[in-house]
Amino acid sequence: GKNYDVAWVVALILMVPMFFNMTSGSVINVLDALDKRLIRSVVLVIMALVNIVLTICLINFCGMIGSAIATAICMLIGQIVIMNIYYSRCIGIRVLQLYREAYKGILLYQIIGAIVGYTVSECTASALLAMILGGIVYILVSWGGYLLFGQTKQEKELFRKFLSKFHPTLKGEHS
C-alpha cells in the first residue's frame, strides 16, 4: 500500500548496487586461492566506517532513505569501483568482460520486466494482488525475454534437453 512506498524506495536503492556487486562474487574465491583477500577486507572495513559517518549525516536530512543512499554509495565505491579496479590491475581479471558476459541477454529483459511489472502493480487496487500480479508479470517478461533472445546456443540446447524429460516431442535436434 501507500504506507510502504518509502520501504520500496529503500529496498530499490539497496538492491541496485547489490545486483552489480553480486556479479563479482565468484572473484572472492580467486582472492582466497591467491591468498589476496586482505586488501578486500581492509577496503570493506574502511567503507563500513565511511558508511557509518555518511549514514549519520544523511539520516538527518532524508531519514531512512538517507541511510539507504549512504549504504548504496559506500557499496558502489568500495565493493564495485575500488575492488573492481583492484581485481583488474592487481590480479588481472577482466572485470568489464565479466560484467558483459554475466549480463548479456538478461539485463535488458530484467529492466523491461521490472518496468512492466511495476506498471501492472500500480494499476491494481489491492496491495496483495498488485504484488502478486507485478511479480508474475516481471517473471514472465524477464524469463521470456531471456528464453527467446538471451540464451546462447549451448544454453538453448541444455534447456531443450531438460524440457525433453517432461515432453517427449522435444527429444529431436532443434537449432
Side-chain angles (χ1 to χ4, degrees), residues 86-103:
Y86 175 71
Y87 299 151
S88 180
R89 291 188 180 165
C90 299
I91 299 178
I93 295 173
R94 294 178 287 179
V95 175
L96 291 178
Q97 182 179 355
L98 174 70
Y99 280 101
R100 190 172 32 253
E101 291 298 318
Y103 298 128

Side-chain angles (χ1 to χ4, degrees), residues 1-98:
K2 296 297 179 198
N3 296 335
Y4 295 102
D5 285 351
V6 173
W8 186 86
V9 171
V10 166
L12 189 62
I13 291 169
L14 294 173
M15 282 189 268
V16 169
M18 185 55 76
F19 177 80
F20 292 101
N21 180 46
M22 297 306 292
T23 303
S24 56
S26 60
V27 176
I28 297 168
N29 295 331
V30 174
L31 293 178
D32 287 340
L34 297 174
D35 199 26
K36 293 190 176 194
R37 195 165 184 163
L38 179 64
I39 298 294
R40 182 176 189 276
S41 297
V42 169
V43 168
L44 294 182
V45 166
I46 291 169
M47 292 315 300
L49 295 173
V50 170
N51 187 16
I52 292 169
V53 173
L54 194 55
T55 296
I56 291 169
C57 294
L58 291 179
I59 206 163
N60 291 325
F61 295 106
C62 308
M64 75 171 84
I65 291 177
S67 176
I69 290 170
T71 300
I73 288 170
C74 291
M75 190 181 307
L76 282 167
I77 292 170
Q79 295 188 40
I80 298 172
V81 175
I82 293 172
M83 288 314 304
N84 283 333
I85 290 170
Y86 175 71
Y87 299 151
S88 180
R89 291 188 180 165
C90 299
I91 299 178
I93 295 173
R94 294 178 287 179
V95 175
L96 291 178
Q97 182 179 355
L98 174 70

Side-chain angles (χ1 to χ4, degrees), residues 117-134:
Y118 176 76
T119 303
V120 167
S121 70
E122 283 297 306
C123 297
T124 308
S126 163
L128 179 61
L129 188 58
M131 181 184 72
I132 293 169
L133 287 177

